[in-house]
Amino acid sequence: MDVTFNLAAALDAVLQTAAGAAGLEATAFAPDVRPADPRHGDFQANGVLGYAKARKLNPRATAEQLVAALPADLREGFDVTIAGPGFINFALKPATLLAWLQAHDDAAHLKAGASAYYGGQRYVVDYSSPNTAKQLHVGHIRSMVIGEAICRLLEFCGADVIRDNHIGDWGTQFGKLIWGYKNLRDEAALDRDPLEELERLYKAADAATKSDPTVLEAARAELVKLQQGDAENLALWQKINAISSGAFARIYERLGIKFDHELGESFYNDKLPRIYTEMQETGLATESQGALVVFPPEHPRFKTQPFIVRKSDGASNYATTDLATMLYRTEHFQADAIIVLTDTRQSDHFEQLWLTTQKWYAQKGYRLPRFEHVSFGSILGDDGKAIKTRSGDPIRLQSLLDEAEERAFGLVTEKSPDLPEADRREIANAVGLGAVRYADLAQNRSSDYVFNWEKILSFDGNTAPYLLYAVTRVHSIFRKLGLDPCAVAATAGASAPESEHELALARKLAGLPAVLATTTAQLRPHFLCTYLYELAGTFSSFYAAEKVLVEEAPVRALRLLLCARTLLFLETGLNLLGLRMLTRM
């Protein structure tokens, strides 16, 4: 049996073929191969039980029948056993582990193997998506770092990924903002920090509209002028968006995030009439109290919660724009799958959007892509509430990242005071920004989590500093030996793993394909984080127990191979999560 990247998929295919040779209904048999409890092996086929039960057969006897039909070359690569009522366990033989590690010797080979997961599929991923004229705050980081990690993971696994930043650059807030700009602006403040001033102007204008009806009418008039194409208001709108875009771009560059498109809400203005027409043509939307709404009667929660496609005053809203966005991504980008990242508070909206889209596309005969709303929880302070400054304002993301770097610089200076300051700053940048990023990604995205500086910057536990240090530790091994970790000569002639720690590390490394499959299938980066943390721990146990530079050349080559592959897998995984690598700390 060859040492293909995805051993679980290879086993699944072999079992499927063997089912026919064993006299089973091959088309009805699903092997269901998945990672096993390490006490029983590396992989386990669970499909026999369901197959046998449905046909009133003895599951164990059926499993024995299937195992007897397995090809000889598979048995050369795996120890095969049957457990309990019919679970088939596969344990990689040491020689197979060695061959697998030798075959997957760089990031390009890993990527080539993983590309079979989503090869040829086009994904549009919608993430970050801030509103213009507002500064990015700490709450924005989850969409940014989770979205970027998902894009990198899908690309690594073969998908053609289109990154779209669906910016909120249109709507009723611009009437207030333009009125505030014309009547309340501080030119000096606008020159000094334009986005700060725009945010102040909006808050001041909003307060004024609530206390003075004439200001509210004036703001509405400014919005109408904008919507009707007034040259002055259009120019102001473009200026506001340009200021916001520049501020956002500086944060994105700092975090290594790049978008293919920034198609804001305004981009879809001329596409909204088609939505109104098709919603009515298909009978999905009806008039209710002057508004155009969709009711999904089959859904118990939304029976009395309409999906408003056009408001009673004739204005569009998020529902209208999102339906137009869905159609554009289907027709223009030819998306096979669409992923949108927002916090959990928007779950109802996207569930209604998807219910409506499915009916709409079915009525019109449009090709339906897959859709997933990737939701996430909140970042909390030590008090269990949304994290804020002492004054009660949201923490600006720029300030958070600055503080992360400064705190990391203090730690690096404490540990390595003799390093030149420029080197300490560079290390602090990777460690500080990586710590904030990894702290978010290491959580199950569905959960809220408490942000704590001491925890995320700790060199112990499942943190970025611990993993980045693990990477530099392996680099130091090769540096002290005067070897290149990528050099084939140092690992040539390696023997198969034999000792407990050699086998444990080799098996942990061979578990990467299954982790990538689970992480991308569920779009939950924390699975990869957990794997990398466990890999670093397994390596640490191996390195503490086994001397690398032993006399026996084959054993030395094996142990150097295990070190090299650990470094490769850690760096590849952390790069997929968006962290910047270091070779020394």
Side-chain angles (χ1 to χ4, degrees):
M1 180 177 179
D2 65 14
V3 283
T4 183
F5 180 74
N6 189 350
L7 291 167
L11 284 171
D12 205 272
V14 170
L15 285 167
Q16 193 74 59
T17 301
L24 278 61
E25 298 173 45
T27 55
F29 174 65
D32 189 21
V33 176
R34 59 185 70 180
D37 183 321
R39 294 172 299 175
H40 305 306
D42 297 293
F43 303 99
Q44 185 175 80
N46 301 317
V48 171
L49 273 72
Y51 176 88
K53 185 177 180 181
R55 290 158 183 77
K56 298 182 179 178
L57 301 171
N58 181 308
R60 189 171 181 93
T62 304
E64 290 170 348
Q65 192 178 339
L66 182 60
V67 167
L70 290 173
D73 65 336
L74 184 136
R75 290 182 172 279
E76 290 173 5
F78 293 88
D79 289 316
V80 185
T81 57
I82 299 172
F87 297 107
I88 305 174
N89 292 318
F90 300 88
L92 284 158
K93 290 185 176 181
T96 310
L97 280 167
L98 175 63
W100 192 88
L101 291 173
Q102 289 172 325
H104 300 98
D105 56 354
D106 58 28
H109 284 149
L110 293 176
K111 184 175 181 179
S115 66
Y117 293 166
Y118 297 99
Q121 296 185 48
R122 176 168 290 175
Y123 278 73
V124 174
V125 184
D126 172 343
Y127 63 111
S128 188
S129 307
N131 291 319
T132 55
K134 292 183 179 180
Q135 300 207 47
L136 294 171
H137 59 74
V138 65
H140 287 110
I141 198 167
R142 298 214 75 180
S143 176
M144 292 164 62
V145 301
I146 296 170
E148 179 64 21
I150 284 173
C151 288
R152 292 184 183 208
L153 281 157
L154 288 170
E155 281 178 330
F156 192 79
C157 293
D160 173 17
V161 176
I162 297 171
R163 294 163 164 84
D164 187 9
N165 194 4
H166 187 76
I167 291 175
D169 64 351
W170 195 253
T172 56
Q173 76 270 22
F174 276 95
K176 297 175 184 179
L177 195 52
I178 290 171
W179 181 89
Y181 186 93
K182 289 181 176 179
N183 294 279
L184 304 174
R185 77 178 181 276
D186 179 333
E187 288 289 356
L190 196 64
D191 290 339
R192 184 172 58 252
D193 192 336
L195 195 56
E196 177 84 22
E197 174 63 2
L198 288 178
E199 193 163 7
R200 185 195 70 81
L201 286 175
Y202 176 77
K203 290 177 181 177
D206 185 53
T209 59
K210 290 174 180 175
S211 62
D212 187 341
T214 59
V215 173
L216 179 60
E217 285 304 312
R220 284 174 174 167
E222 297 290 3
L223 178 63
V224 170
K225 287 169 65 178
L226 173 64
Q227 291 172 336
Q228 291 177 345
D230 175 79
E232 181 187 13
N233 281 14
L234 269 176
L236 277 177
W237 172 75
Q238 290 167 345
K239 180 177 182 178
I240 289 166
N241 286 332
I243 289 170
S244 299
S245 181
F248 299 155
R250 287 189 288 276
I251 295 281
Y252 295 143
E253 183 178 7
R254 193 170 181 181
L255 291 171
I257 295 172
K258 293 182 180 179
F259 292 96
D260 301 302
H261 302 278
E262 286 192 351
L263 303 180
E265 291 170 8
S266 62
F267 176 79
Y268 296 96
N269 281 342
D270 63 350
K271 300 167 181 57
L272 302 184
R274 179 179 172 186
I275 304 304
Y276 302 136
T277 300
E278 294 195 5
M279 286 294 109
Q280 291 172 301
E281 280 179 353
T282 56
L284 290 174
T286 56
E287 293 276 349
S288 177
Q289 298 178 19
L292 191 63
V293 303
V294 176
F295 281 102
E298 76 286 356
H299 196 290
R301 205 165 74 255
F302 298 142
K303 281 183 179 178
T304 57
Q305 184 178 327
F307 194 53
I308 302 173
V309 176
R310 185 176 62 211
K311 296 190 288 187
S312 57
D313 62 2
S316 61
N317 61 5
Y318 287 133
T320 332
T321 305
D322 283 347
L323 287 167
T325 303
M326 189 75 78
L327 187 60
Y328 185 80
R329 289 169 175 168
T330 303
E331 293 185 338
H332 179 77
F333 290 129
Q334 292 291 299
D336 298 299
I338 297 168
I339 297 170
V340 176
L341 288 95
T342 74
D343 64 45
T344 53
R345 292 172 297 178
Q346 298 188 45
S347 293
D348 278 4
H349 167 78
F350 283 104
E351 190 172 352
Q352 286 184 294
L353 173 69
W354 183 230
L355 285 169
T356 303
T357 300
Q358 290 176 84
K359 293 179 185 176
W360 170 30
Y361 279 30
Q363 290 273 3
K364 298 296 292 184
Y366 297 152
R367 180 182 62 85
L368 186 71
R370 298 187 304 284
F371 174 77
E372 184 150 1
H373 174 223
V374 173
S375 61
F376 47 83
S378 301
I379 303 176
L380 309 176
D382 290 330
D383 59 359
K385 298 178 181 178
I387 188 169
K388 296 182 182 296
T389 63
R390 289 180 180 176
S391 65
D393 295 324
I395 296 174
R396 302 276 167 77
L397 185 52
Q398 183 75 39
S399 299
L400 183 84
L401 299 180
D402 289 344
E403 184 172 356
E405 288 199 45
E406 283 306 311
R407 284 177 177 264
F409 181 71
L411 288 173
V412 174
T413 300
E414 181 183 326
K415 289 182 177 293
S416 305
D418 297 332
L419 281 176
E421 181 176 346
D423 291 350
R424 283 181 279 137
R425 289 288 176 191
E426 183 181 354
I427 293 169
N429 173 270
V431 172
L433 300 186
V436 171
R437 193 173 207 142
Y438 190 85
D440 201 296
L441 295 171
Q443 314 296 322
N444 183 331
R445 61 172 168 76
S446 298
S447 304
D448 298 340
Y449 76 94
V450 175
F451 186 92
N452 179 279
W453 282 116
E454 286 69 29
K455 182 178 178 181
I456 73 168
L457 285 168
S458 173
F459 280 84
D460 296 313
N462 189 10
T463 66
Y466 170 76
L467 287 168
L468 290 172
Y469 177 71
V471 167
T472 62
R473 187 180 178 195
V474 185
H475 271 293
S476 71
I477 294 169
F478 286 94
R479 193 160 52 243
K480 288 174 183 175
L481 296 175
L483 295 172
D484 180 349
C486 300
V488 175
T491 60
S495 58
E498 292 183 4
S499 74
E500 172 192 349
H501 292 94
E502 290 170 350
L503 286 165
L505 181 53
R507 287 201 154 91
K508 178 56 73 172
L509 289 163
L512 176 64
V515 172
L516 288 175
T518 301
T519 303
T520 51
Q522 298 190 33
L523 302 176
R524 294 183 184 275
H526 79 277
F527 288 123
L528 178 57
C529 294
T530 300
Y531 169 80
L532 295 174
Y533 173 57
E534 291 175 351
L535 174 59
T538 305
F539 175 79
S540 185
S541 298
F542 156 79
Y543 192 64
E546 309 285 13
K547 183 180 177 182
V548 174
L549 283 186
V550 293
E551 292 295 328
E552 302 90 340
V555 176
R556 181 172 67 248
L558 166 68
R559 292 178 182 174
L560 285 170
L561 175 67
L562 289 169
C563 291
R565 293 300 177 270
T566 298
L567 178 61
L568 170 65
F569 286 25
L570 284 174
E571 289 191 326
T572 300
L574 290 170
N575 273 315
L576 290 175
L577 296 172
L579 275 70
R580 189 164 67 84
M581 293 303 100
L582 296 168
T583 57
R584 61 178 78 214
M585 285 176 72

